[in-house]
Amino acid sequence: MKVKSAIAVIVVALAVYFFVLGRRAVELISDGGAGMVVLGVAVLILPLLGVWMIYSTLRSAFAHDRLAHRIAEEGRELDTDDLPRRPSGRFERDAADALFAQVKSEWEADPDDWRSNYRLARAYDVAGDRKRAREIMKRAVALEGLQRKADATGESAGPPERSQG
């Protein structure tokens, strides 16, 4: 709950900042001078970009949180408690690679299940490959969304386009 409260405080602070920045942009634009209008438009772009980044980040975070809760309820969360760690807190490379190999073989057996994609994304993250972890997590979110939609309508869901894991 502390994390959600911290996120709420940060979002509110950014909203106030974006409002003040947007108001200043409008003042610059209303000044009327060509240079001020250009500067005002440039300043106005910043809060718009900020709002979009907050929205997309929170949307992804809520989707990942939903999947994490579902996978935990099913008892299929990736168990990393026994993996050895370096002094920095990162996982030992050999242990992370062994876990990744195990999870990848599970994924290969059922690449269109959101659960296997979620677990593969987590294994990529443990192995330190954040880019692939994000790609596969997006796929897991899409697959889970298709499954929820299919469950609600009683139809079967087809998998979205798959990236190679």
Side-chain angles (χ1 to χ4, degrees), residues 13 16 24 33-34 36 40 43 48 56 93 97 108 111 118 132 135 160:
V16 169
R24 183 65 182 139
M36 292 300 188
V43 169
L48 296 175
S56 62
R93 185 73 183 172
D97 288 346
E108 288 169 344
Y118 176 87
R132 284 196 179 123
E135 289 172 13

Side-chain angles (χ1 to χ4, degrees), residues 3 7 13 17 20 25 27 70 84 92 128 140 146:
V3 172
I7 291 170
Y17 174 73
V20 170
E27 290 172 6
R70 285 194 65 187
E92 289 287 340
L146 287 173

Side-chain angles (χ1 to χ4, degrees), residues 99-164:
L99 177 66
F100 177 80
Q102 172 196 342
V103 172
K104 187 171 182 188
S105 68
E106 294 172 12
W107 175 82
E108 288 169 344
D110 194 2
D112 295 327
D113 180 30
W114 71 265
R115 293 162 191 86
S116 62
N117 280 270
Y118 176 87
R119 288 173 54 85
L120 183 65
R122 293 275 295 122
Y124 270 124
D125 186 54
V126 167
D129 191 342
R130 306 289 191 271
K131 182 179 178 188
R132 284 196 179 123
R134 283 189 299 273
E135 289 172 13
I136 300 297
M137 187 61 80
K138 285 179 189 176
R139 180 169 162 72
V141 168
L143 286 167
E144 190 267 349
L146 287 173
Q147 182 191 12
R148 278 188 300 115
K149 184 177 178 180
D151 290 348
T153 62
E155 300 174 8
S156 65
E161 184 177 320
R162 177 176 41 166
S163 60
Q164 293 297 319

Side-chain angles (χ1 to χ4, degrees), residues 32-51:
M36 292 300 188
V37 170
V38 169
L39 183 60
V41 169
V43 169
L44 187 60
I45 290 171
L46 294 175
L48 296 175
L49 282 174
V51 168

Side-chain angles (χ1 to χ4, degrees), residues 27-81:
E27 290 172 6
L28 288 169
I29 292 169
S30 64
D31 182 83
M36 292 300 188
V37 170
V38 169
L39 183 60
V41 169
V43 169
L44 187 60
I45 290 171
L46 294 175
L48 296 175
L49 282 174
V51 168
W52 174 78
M53 289 188 316
I54 288 172
Y55 169 77
S56 62
T57 300
L58 288 176
R59 184 174 173 222
S60 293
F62 290 138
H64 298 175
D65 190 52
R66 182 181 65 247
L67 267 58
H69 280 92
R70 285 194 65 187
I71 206 100
E73 287 172 0
E74 295 177 11
R76 296 201 51 206
E77 179 58 62
L78 206 59
D79 185 15
T80 59
D81 293 339

